[in-house]
PDB file of all heavy atoms in Angstrom:
ATOM      1  N   ASN A1261       7.832   6.114  -4.960  1.00  0.00           N
ATOM      2  CA  ASN A1261       6.604   6.390  -4.216  1.00  0.00           C
ATOM      3  C   ASN A1261       5.702   5.162  -4.159  1.00  0.00           C
ATOM      4  O   ASN A1261       5.094   4.859  -3.126  1.00  0.00           O
ATOM      5  CB  ASN A1261       5.845   7.556  -4.853  1.00  0.00           C
ATOM      6  CG  ASN A1261       6.560   8.880  -4.655  1.00  0.00           C
ATOM      7  OD1 ASN A1261       7.661   8.921  -4.099  1.00  0.00           O
ATOM      8  ND2 ASN A1261       5.947   9.957  -5.098  1.00  0.00           N
ATOM      9  N   TYR A1262       5.612   4.442  -5.285  1.00  0.00           N
ATOM     10  CA  TYR A1262       4.822   3.211  -5.319  1.00  0.00           C
ATOM     11  C   TYR A1262       5.414   2.179  -4.360  1.00  0.00           C
ATOM     12  O   TYR A1262       4.697   1.533  -3.588  1.00  0.00           O
ATOM     13  CB  TYR A1262       4.783   2.646  -6.737  1.00  0.00           C
ATOM     14  CG  TYR A1262       4.189   1.259  -6.844  1.00  0.00           C
ATOM     15  CD1 TYR A1262       2.828   1.078  -7.040  1.00  0.00           C
ATOM     16  CD2 TYR A1262       5.000   0.126  -6.747  1.00  0.00           C
ATOM     17  CE1 TYR A1262       2.281  -0.194  -7.144  1.00  0.00           C
ATOM     18  CE2 TYR A1262       4.462  -1.142  -6.838  1.00  0.00           C
ATOM     19  CZ  TYR A1262       3.105  -1.302  -7.036  1.00  0.00           C
ATOM     20  OH  TYR A1262       2.570  -2.565  -7.112  1.00  0.00           O
ATOM     21  N   VAL A1263       6.728   2.014  -4.427  1.00  0.00           N
ATOM     22  CA  VAL A1263       7.383   1.033  -3.561  1.00  0.00           C
ATOM     23  C   VAL A1263       7.132   1.372  -2.094  1.00  0.00           C
ATOM     24  O   VAL A1263       6.779   0.494  -1.292  1.00  0.00           O
ATOM     25  CB  VAL A1263       8.902   0.984  -3.854  1.00  0.00           C
ATOM     26  CG1 VAL A1263       9.621   0.105  -2.836  1.00  0.00           C
ATOM     27  CG2 VAL A1263       9.157   0.463  -5.271  1.00  0.00           C
ATOM     28  N   TYR A1264       7.286   2.627  -1.734  1.00  0.00           N
ATOM     29  CA  TYR A1264       7.065   3.046  -0.342  1.00  0.00           C
ATOM     30  C   TYR A1264       5.633   2.750   0.090  1.00  0.00           C
ATOM     31  O   TYR A1264       5.406   2.215   1.193  1.00  0.00           O
ATOM     32  CB  TYR A1264       7.349   4.537  -0.191  1.00  0.00           C
ATOM     33  CG  TYR A1264       7.010   5.073   1.178  1.00  0.00           C
ATOM     34  CD1 TYR A1264       7.890   4.902   2.249  1.00  0.00           C
ATOM     35  CD2 TYR A1264       5.798   5.710   1.412  1.00  0.00           C
ATOM     36  CE1 TYR A1264       7.569   5.367   3.513  1.00  0.00           C
ATOM     37  CE2 TYR A1264       5.466   6.183   2.678  1.00  0.00           C
ATOM     38  CZ  TYR A1264       6.356   6.009   3.723  1.00  0.00           C
ATOM     39  OH  TYR A1264       6.028   6.461   4.976  1.00  0.00           O
ATOM     40  N   GLU A1265       4.665   3.086  -0.741  1.00  0.00           N
ATOM     41  CA  GLU A1265       3.259   2.878  -0.372  1.00  0.00           C
ATOM     42  C   GLU A1265       2.915   1.393  -0.246  1.00  0.00           C
ATOM     43  O   GLU A1265       2.214   0.982   0.678  1.00  0.00           O
ATOM     44  CB  GLU A1265       2.338   3.526  -1.407  1.00  0.00           C
ATOM     45  CG  GLU A1265       2.162   5.011  -1.247  1.00  0.00           C
ATOM     46  CD  GLU A1265       1.473   5.381   0.055  1.00  0.00           C
ATOM     47  OE1 GLU A1265       0.233   5.336   0.124  1.00  0.00           O
ATOM     48  OE2 GLU A1265       2.179   5.712   1.024  1.00  0.00           O
ATOM     49  N   MET A1266       3.417   0.584  -1.181  1.00  0.00           N
ATOM     50  CA  MET A1266       3.076  -0.835  -1.144  1.00  0.00           C
ATOM     51  C   MET A1266       3.728  -1.518   0.055  1.00  0.00           C
ATOM     52  O   MET A1266       3.095  -2.326   0.741  1.00  0.00           O
ATOM     53  CB  MET A1266       3.492  -1.514  -2.447  1.00  0.00           C
ATOM     54  CG  MET A1266       2.890  -2.899  -2.632  1.00  0.00           C
ATOM     55  SD  MET A1266       1.067  -2.902  -2.756  1.00  0.00           S
ATOM     56  CE  MET A1266       0.843  -2.597  -4.510  1.00  0.00           C
ATOM     57  N   VAL A1267       4.987  -1.200   0.312  1.00  0.00           N
ATOM     58  CA  VAL A1267       5.657  -1.778   1.480  1.00  0.00           C
ATOM     59  C   VAL A1267       4.960  -1.305   2.760  1.00  0.00           C
ATOM     60  O   VAL A1267       4.727  -2.089   3.684  1.00  0.00           O
ATOM     61  CB  VAL A1267       7.149  -1.395   1.511  1.00  0.00           C
ATOM     62  CG1 VAL A1267       7.797  -1.884   2.811  1.00  0.00           C
ATOM     63  CG2 VAL A1267       7.880  -2.001   0.318  1.00  0.00           C
ATOM     64  N   GLY A1268       4.620  -0.018   2.805  1.00  0.00           N
ATOM     65  CA  GLY A1268       3.927   0.516   3.979  1.00  0.00           C
ATOM     66  C   GLY A1268       2.606  -0.163   4.234  1.00  0.00           C
ATOM     67  O   GLY A1268       2.225  -0.408   5.392  1.00  0.00           O
ATOM     68  N   LYS A1269       1.903  -0.492   3.163  1.00  0.00           N
ATOM     69  CA  LYS A1269       0.616  -1.188   3.307  1.00  0.00           C
ATOM     70  C   LYS A1269       0.803  -2.512   4.036  1.00  0.00           C
ATOM     71  O   LYS A1269       0.071  -2.823   4.995  1.00  0.00           O
ATOM     72  CB  LYS A1269       0.014  -1.435   1.915  1.00  0.00           C
ATOM     73  CG  LYS A1269      -1.214  -2.362   1.911  1.00  0.00           C
ATOM     74  CD  LYS A1269      -1.612  -2.684   0.475  1.00  0.00           C
ATOM     75  CE  LYS A1269      -2.710  -3.743   0.445  1.00  0.00           C
ATOM     76  NZ  LYS A1269      -4.001  -3.223   0.923  1.00  0.00           N
ATOM     77  N   TYR A1270       1.794  -3.304   3.606  1.00  0.00           N
ATOM     78  CA  TYR A1270       1.984  -4.622   4.215  1.00  0.00           C
ATOM     79  C   TYR A1270       2.640  -4.536   5.587  1.00  0.00           C
ATOM     80  O   TYR A1270       2.388  -5.379   6.453  1.00  0.00           O
ATOM     81  CB  TYR A1270       2.753  -5.533   3.259  1.00  0.00           C
ATOM     82  CG  TYR A1270       1.900  -5.878   2.060  1.00  0.00           C
ATOM     83  CD1 TYR A1270       2.174  -5.345   0.810  1.00  0.00           C
ATOM     84  CD2 TYR A1270       0.773  -6.678   2.199  1.00  0.00           C
ATOM     85  CE1 TYR A1270       1.359  -5.619  -0.274  1.00  0.00           C
ATOM     86  CE2 TYR A1270      -0.050  -6.959   1.121  1.00  0.00           C
ATOM     87  CZ  TYR A1270       0.246  -6.424  -0.112  1.00  0.00           C
ATOM     88  OH  TYR A1270      -0.583  -6.688  -1.176  1.00  0.00           O
ATOM     89  N   SER A1271       3.444  -3.514   5.794  1.00  0.00           N
ATOM     90  CA  SER A1271       4.000  -3.295   7.129  1.00  0.00           C
ATOM     91  C   SER A1271       2.885  -2.998   8.120  1.00  0.00           C
ATOM     92  O   SER A1271       2.862  -3.531   9.236  1.00  0.00           O
ATOM     93  CB  SER A1271       5.002  -2.143   7.080  1.00  0.00           C
ATOM     94  OG  SER A1271       5.574  -1.925   8.349  1.00  0.00           O
ATOM     95  N   ASP A1272       1.929  -2.166   7.724  1.00  0.00           N
ATOM     96  CA  ASP A1272       0.777  -1.863   8.586  1.00  0.00           C
ATOM     97  C   ASP A1272      -0.034  -3.120   8.891  1.00  0.00           C
ATOM     98  O   ASP A1272      -0.461  -3.345  10.025  1.00  0.00           O
ATOM     99  CB  ASP A1272      -0.127  -0.824   7.920  1.00  0.00           C
ATOM    100  CG  ASP A1272       0.443   0.585   7.986  1.00  0.00           C
ATOM    101  OD1 ASP A1272       1.446   0.785   8.696  1.00  0.00           O
ATOM    102  OD2 ASP A1272      -0.122   1.482   7.326  1.00  0.00           O
ATOM    103  N   ILE A1273      -0.240  -3.942   7.865  1.00  0.00           N
ATOM    104  CA  ILE A1273      -1.022  -5.169   8.056  1.00  0.00           C
ATOM    105  C   ILE A1273      -0.344  -6.084   9.072  1.00  0.00           C
ATOM    106  O   ILE A1273      -0.990  -6.590  10.001  1.00  0.00           O
ATOM    107  CB  ILE A1273      -1.214  -5.905   6.712  1.00  0.00           C
ATOM    108  CG1 ILE A1273      -2.198  -5.127   5.822  1.00  0.00           C
ATOM    109  CG2 ILE A1273      -1.727  -7.327   6.940  1.00  0.00           C
ATOM    110  CD1 ILE A1273      -2.340  -5.693   4.425  1.00  0.00           C
ATOM    111  N   LEU A1274       0.963  -6.290   8.901  1.00  0.00           N
ATOM    112  CA  LEU A1274       1.667  -7.214   9.792  1.00  0.00           C
ATOM    113  C   LEU A1274       1.785  -6.672  11.214  1.00  0.00           C
ATOM    114  O   LEU A1274       1.899  -7.443  12.165  1.00  0.00           O
ATOM    115  CB  LEU A1274       3.052  -7.531   9.228  1.00  0.00           C
ATOM    116  CG  LEU A1274       3.064  -8.344   7.929  1.00  0.00           C
ATOM    117  CD1 LEU A1274       4.489  -8.619   7.473  1.00  0.00           C
ATOM    118  CD2 LEU A1274       2.306  -9.656   8.080  1.00  0.00           C
ATOM    119  N   GLU A1275       1.767  -5.357  11.358  1.00  0.00           N
ATOM    120  CA  GLU A1275       1.848  -4.755  12.692  1.00  0.00           C
ATOM    121  C   GLU A1275       0.466  -4.430  13.262  1.00  0.00           C
ATOM    122  O   GLU A1275       0.362  -3.802  14.321  1.00  0.00           O
ATOM    123  CB  GLU A1275       2.693  -3.481  12.624  1.00  0.00           C
ATOM    124  CG  GLU A1275       4.165  -3.758  12.318  1.00  0.00           C
ATOM    125  CD  GLU A1275       4.978  -2.480  12.184  1.00  0.00           C
ATOM    126  OE1 GLU A1275       4.474  -1.408  12.602  1.00  0.00           O
ATOM    127  OE2 GLU A1275       6.107  -2.544  11.672  1.00  0.00           O
ATOM    128  N   ASN A1276      -0.590  -4.874  12.530  1.00  0.00           N
ATOM    129  CA  ASN A1276      -1.983  -4.654  12.962  1.00  0.00           C
ATOM    130  C   ASN A1276      -2.301  -3.179  13.188  1.00  0.00           C
ATOM    131  O   ASN A1276      -3.017  -2.799  14.108  1.00  0.00           O
ATOM    132  CB  ASN A1276      -2.284  -5.454  14.233  1.00  0.00           C
ATOM    133  CG  ASN A1276      -2.335  -6.944  13.974  1.00  0.00           C
ATOM    134  OD1 ASN A1276      -2.968  -7.394  13.015  1.00  0.00           O
ATOM    135  ND2 ASN A1276      -1.653  -7.713  14.807  1.00  0.00           N
ATOM    136  N   LYS A1277      -1.744  -2.338  12.323  1.00  0.00           N
ATOM    137  CA  LYS A1277      -2.060  -0.915  12.360  1.00  0.00           C
ATOM    138  C   LYS A1277      -3.186  -0.619  11.377  1.00  0.00           C
ATOM    139  O   LYS A1277      -3.443  -1.389  10.453  1.00  0.00           O
ATOM    140  CB  LYS A1277      -0.832  -0.083  11.968  1.00  0.00           C
ATOM    141  CG  LYS A1277       0.336  -0.161  12.924  1.00  0.00           C
ATOM    142  CD  LYS A1277       1.484   0.702  12.407  1.00  0.00           C
ATOM    143  CE  LYS A1277       2.686   0.653  13.338  1.00  0.00           C
ATOM    144  NZ  LYS A1277       3.829   1.444  12.776  1.00  0.00           N
ATOM    145  N   ASN A1278      -3.865   0.505  11.575  1.00  0.00           N
ATOM    146  CA  ASN A1278      -4.836   0.945  10.588  1.00  0.00           C
ATOM    147  C   ASN A1278      -4.109   1.284   9.298  1.00  0.00           C
ATOM    148  O   ASN A1278      -3.135   2.035   9.303  1.00  0.00           O
ATOM    149  CB  ASN A1278      -5.596   2.180  11.089  1.00  0.00           C
ATOM    150  CG  ASN A1278      -6.498   1.851  12.263  1.00  0.00           C
ATOM    151  OD1 ASN A1278      -7.043   0.750  12.342  1.00  0.00           O
ATOM    152  ND2 ASN A1278      -6.670   2.799  13.161  1.00  0.00           N
ATOM    153  N   GLU A1279      -4.565   0.713   8.204  1.00  0.00           N
ATOM    154  CA  GLU A1279      -3.897   0.945   6.927  1.00  0.00           C
ATOM    155  C   GLU A1279      -4.082   2.394   6.483  1.00  0.00           C
ATOM    156  O   GLU A1279      -5.198   2.907   6.446  1.00  0.00           O
ATOM    157  CB  GLU A1279      -4.450  -0.004   5.864  1.00  0.00           C
ATOM    158  CG  GLU A1279      -4.031  -1.454   6.065  1.00  0.00           C
ATOM    159  CD  GLU A1279      -4.510  -2.337   4.939  1.00  0.00           C
ATOM    160  OE1 GLU A1279      -4.288  -1.975   3.766  1.00  0.00           O
ATOM    161  OE2 GLU A1279      -5.139  -3.366   5.228  1.00  0.00           O
ATOM    162  N   ASN A1280      -2.982   3.022   6.147  1.00  0.00           N
ATOM    163  CA  ASN A1280      -3.032   4.411   5.710  1.00  0.00           C
ATOM    164  C   ASN A1280      -2.174   4.606   4.465  1.00  0.00           C
ATOM    165  O   ASN A1280      -1.575   5.654   4.262  1.00  0.00           O
ATOM    166  CB  ASN A1280      -2.553   5.341   6.840  1.00  0.00           C
ATOM    167  CG  ASN A1280      -2.882   6.787   6.555  1.00  0.00           C
ATOM    168  OD1 ASN A1280      -3.876   7.088   5.899  1.00  0.00           O
ATOM    169  ND2 ASN A1280      -2.032   7.694   7.008  1.00  0.00           N
ATOM    170  N   HIS A1281      -2.106   3.554   3.641  1.00  0.00           N
ATOM    171  CA  HIS A1281      -1.304   3.604   2.423  1.00  0.00           C
ATOM    172  C   HIS A1281      -2.183   3.225   1.235  1.00  0.00           C
ATOM    173  O   HIS A1281      -3.007   2.311   1.335  1.00  0.00           O
ATOM    174  CB  HIS A1281      -0.111   2.664   2.521  1.00  0.00           C
ATOM    175  CG  HIS A1281       0.879   3.075   3.572  1.00  0.00           C
ATOM    176  ND1 HIS A1281       1.888   3.979   3.331  1.00  0.00           N
ATOM    177  CD2 HIS A1281       1.005   2.715   4.874  1.00  0.00           C
ATOM    178  CE1 HIS A1281       2.592   4.163   4.433  1.00  0.00           C
ATOM    179  NE2 HIS A1281       2.079   3.402   5.380  1.00  0.00           N
ATOM    180  N   HIS A1282      -1.971   3.887   0.120  1.00  0.00           N
ATOM    181  CA  HIS A1282      -2.837   3.696  -1.043  1.00  0.00           C
ATOM    182  C   HIS A1282      -2.013   3.540  -2.318  1.00  0.00           C
ATOM    183  O   HIS A1282      -1.984   4.431  -3.169  1.00  0.00           O
ATOM    184  CB  HIS A1282      -3.805   4.875  -1.183  1.00  0.00           C
ATOM    185  CG  HIS A1282      -4.677   5.065   0.010  1.00  0.00           C
ATOM    186  ND1 HIS A1282      -5.789   4.285   0.253  1.00  0.00           N
ATOM    187  CD2 HIS A1282      -4.573   5.927   1.058  1.00  0.00           C
ATOM    188  CE1 HIS A1282      -6.347   4.670   1.378  1.00  0.00           C
ATOM    189  NE2 HIS A1282      -5.640   5.651   1.897  1.00  0.00           N
ATOM    190  N   PRO A1283      -1.340   2.402  -2.478  1.00  0.00           N
ATOM    191  CA  PRO A1283      -0.519   2.202  -3.682  1.00  0.00           C
ATOM    192  C   PRO A1283      -1.340   2.235  -4.965  1.00  0.00           C
ATOM    193  O   PRO A1283      -0.809   2.580  -6.025  1.00  0.00           O
ATOM    194  CB  PRO A1283       0.117   0.826  -3.450  1.00  0.00           C
ATOM    195  CG  PRO A1283      -0.753   0.163  -2.413  1.00  0.00           C
ATOM    196  CD  PRO A1283      -1.258   1.260  -1.554  1.00  0.00           C
ATOM    197  N   GLU A1284      -2.619   1.882  -4.879  1.00  0.00           N
ATOM    198  CA  GLU A1284      -3.469   1.889  -6.072  1.00  0.00           C
ATOM    199  C   GLU A1284      -3.664   3.296  -6.623  1.00  0.00           C
ATOM    200  O   GLU A1284      -4.079   3.470  -7.781  1.00  0.00           O
ATOM    201  CB  GLU A1284      -4.820   1.239  -5.763  1.00  0.00           C
ATOM    202  CG  GLU A1284      -5.785   2.060  -4.921  1.00  0.00           C
ATOM    203  CD  GLU A1284      -5.457   2.053  -3.432  1.00  0.00           C
ATOM    204  OE1 GLU A1284      -4.518   1.331  -3.030  1.00  0.00           O
ATOM    205  OE2 GLU A1284      -6.159   2.742  -2.666  1.00  0.00           O
ATOM    206  N   LYS A1285      -3.363   4.319  -5.813  1.00  0.00           N
ATOM    207  CA  LYS A1285      -3.453   5.702  -6.288  1.00  0.00           C
ATOM    208  C   LYS A1285      -2.152   6.172  -6.938  1.00  0.00           C
ATOM    209  O   LYS A1285      -2.092   7.252  -7.505  1.00  0.00           O
ATOM    210  CB  LYS A1285      -3.830   6.635  -5.133  1.00  0.00           C
ATOM    211  CG  LYS A1285      -5.244   6.399  -4.601  1.00  0.00           C
ATOM    212  CD  LYS A1285      -5.598   7.415  -3.520  1.00  0.00           C
ATOM    213  CE  LYS A1285      -7.026   7.203  -3.025  1.00  0.00           C
ATOM    214  NZ  LYS A1285      -7.397   8.203  -1.985  1.00  0.00           N
ATOM    215  N   ILE A1286      -1.121   5.357  -6.839  1.00  0.00           N
ATOM    216  CA  ILE A1286       0.162   5.664  -7.470  1.00  0.00           C
ATOM    217  C   ILE A1286       0.265   4.981  -8.824  1.00  0.00           C
ATOM    218  O   ILE A1286       0.690   5.570  -9.810  1.00  0.00           O
ATOM    219  CB  ILE A1286       1.339   5.219  -6.577  1.00  0.00           C
ATOM    220  CG1 ILE A1286       1.241   5.861  -5.192  1.00  0.00           C
ATOM    221  CG2 ILE A1286       2.673   5.561  -7.239  1.00  0.00           C
ATOM    222  CD1 ILE A1286       1.438   7.344  -5.168  1.00  0.00           C
ATOM    223  N   PHE A1287      -0.117   3.708  -8.865  1.00  0.00           N
ATOM    224  CA  PHE A1287      -0.087   2.939 -10.118  1.00  0.00           C
ATOM    225  C   PHE A1287      -1.304   2.029 -10.131  1.00  0.00           C
ATOM    226  O   PHE A1287      -1.547   1.295  -9.168  1.00  0.00           O
ATOM    227  CB  PHE A1287       1.190   2.102 -10.229  1.00  0.00           C
ATOM    228  CG  PHE A1287       1.331   1.394 -11.553  1.00  0.00           C
ATOM    229  CD1 PHE A1287       2.077   1.962 -12.569  1.00  0.00           C
ATOM    230  CD2 PHE A1287       0.709   0.176 -11.788  1.00  0.00           C
ATOM    231  CE1 PHE A1287       2.207   1.326 -13.793  1.00  0.00           C
ATOM    232  CE2 PHE A1287       0.832  -0.467 -13.005  1.00  0.00           C
ATOM    233  CZ  PHE A1287       1.585   0.112 -14.012  1.00  0.00           C
ATOM    234  N   ASN A1288      -2.061   2.063 -11.243  1.00  0.00           N
ATOM    235  CA  ASN A1288      -3.310   1.301 -11.251  1.00  0.00           C
ATOM    236  C   ASN A1288      -3.682   0.889 -12.668  1.00  0.00           C
ATOM    237  O   ASN A1288      -4.029   1.715 -13.504  1.00  0.00           O
ATOM    238  CB  ASN A1288      -4.432   2.157 -10.648  1.00  0.00           C
ATOM    239  CG  ASN A1288      -5.656   1.334 -10.296  1.00  0.00           C
ATOM    240  OD1 ASN A1288      -5.928   0.319 -10.914  1.00  0.00           O
ATOM    241  ND2 ASN A1288      -6.397   1.790  -9.311  1.00  0.00           N
ATOM    242  N   ARG A1289      -3.569  -0.405 -12.938  1.00  0.00           N
ATOM    243  CA  ARG A1289      -4.149  -0.949 -14.168  1.00  0.00           C
ATOM    244  C   ARG A1289      -5.219  -1.982 -13.801  1.00  0.00           C
ATOM    245  O   ARG A1289      -5.484  -2.928 -14.534  1.00  0.00           O
ATOM    246  CB  ARG A1289      -3.080  -1.539 -15.076  1.00  0.00           C
ATOM    247  CG  ARG A1289      -2.263  -2.672 -14.521  1.00  0.00           C
ATOM    248  CD  ARG A1289      -1.336  -3.253 -15.585  1.00  0.00           C
ATOM    249  NE  ARG A1289      -0.148  -3.830 -15.002  1.00  0.00           N
ATOM    250  CZ  ARG A1289       1.081  -3.628 -15.483  1.00  0.00           C
ATOM    251  NH1 ARG A1289       1.279  -2.879 -16.532  1.00  0.00           N
ATOM    252  NH2 ARG A1289       2.121  -4.170 -14.904  1.00  0.00           N
ATOM    253  N   GLY A1290      -5.785  -1.780 -12.608  1.00  0.00           N
ATOM    254  CA  GLY A1290      -6.731  -2.736 -12.065  1.00  0.00           C
ATOM    255  C   GLY A1290      -6.009  -3.704 -11.154  1.00  0.00           C
ATOM    256  O   GLY A1290      -4.838  -4.025 -11.380  1.00  0.00           O
ATOM    257  N   TYR A1291      -6.695  -4.146 -10.093  1.00  0.00           N
ATOM    258  CA  TYR A1291      -6.093  -5.077  -9.137  1.00  0.00           C
ATOM    259  C   TYR A1291      -6.993  -6.293  -8.929  1.00  0.00           C
ATOM    260  O   TYR A1291      -8.220  -6.205  -9.014  1.00  0.00           O
ATOM    261  CB  TYR A1291      -5.850  -4.380  -7.789  1.00  0.00           C
ATOM    262  CG  TYR A1291      -4.643  -3.465  -7.795  1.00  0.00           C
ATOM    263  CD1 TYR A1291      -4.772  -2.106  -8.080  1.00  0.00           C
ATOM    264  CD2 TYR A1291      -3.373  -3.966  -7.551  1.00  0.00           C
ATOM    265  CE1 TYR A1291      -3.656  -1.277  -8.109  1.00  0.00           C
ATOM    266  CE2 TYR A1291      -2.247  -3.137  -7.575  1.00  0.00           C
ATOM    267  CZ  TYR A1291      -2.404  -1.799  -7.851  1.00  0.00           C
ATOM    268  OH  TYR A1291      -1.301  -0.987  -7.883  1.00  0.00           O
ATOM    269  N   SER A1292      -6.354  -7.414  -8.678  1.00  0.00           N
ATOM    270  CA  SER A1292      -7.074  -8.652  -8.379  1.00  0.00           C
ATOM    271  C   SER A1292      -6.340  -9.393  -7.263  1.00  0.00           C
ATOM    272  O   SER A1292      -5.272  -8.975  -6.822  1.00  0.00           O
ATOM    273  CB  SER A1292      -7.153  -9.547  -9.617  1.00  0.00           C
ATOM    274  OG  SER A1292      -5.914 -10.220  -9.832  1.00  0.00           O
TER     275      SER A1292
END
């Protein structure tokens, strides 16, 4: 699920789609 969400996030970015993926809600120890 994490892999799908993270890949989907970057796929949306590269295709200039509205981002609709939230990998930080699957795994989160803080992000930078």
Side-chain angles (χ1 to χ4, degrees):
N1261 290 4
Y1262 170 89
V1263 172
Y1264 174 81
E1265 280 296 277
M1266 194 63 86
V1267 174
K1269 170 187 173 71
Y1270 291 108
S1271 181
D1272 284 351
I1273 288 174
L1274 292 181
E1275 293 177 15
N1276 290 313
K1277 295 180 180 177
N1278 292 327
E1279 289 184 50
N1280 193 31
H1281 294 274
H1282 301 282
E1284 74 282 355
K1285 293 184 178 181
I1286 304 293
F1287 185 96
N1288 195 331
R1289 60 174 152 225
Y1291 283 93
S1292 78

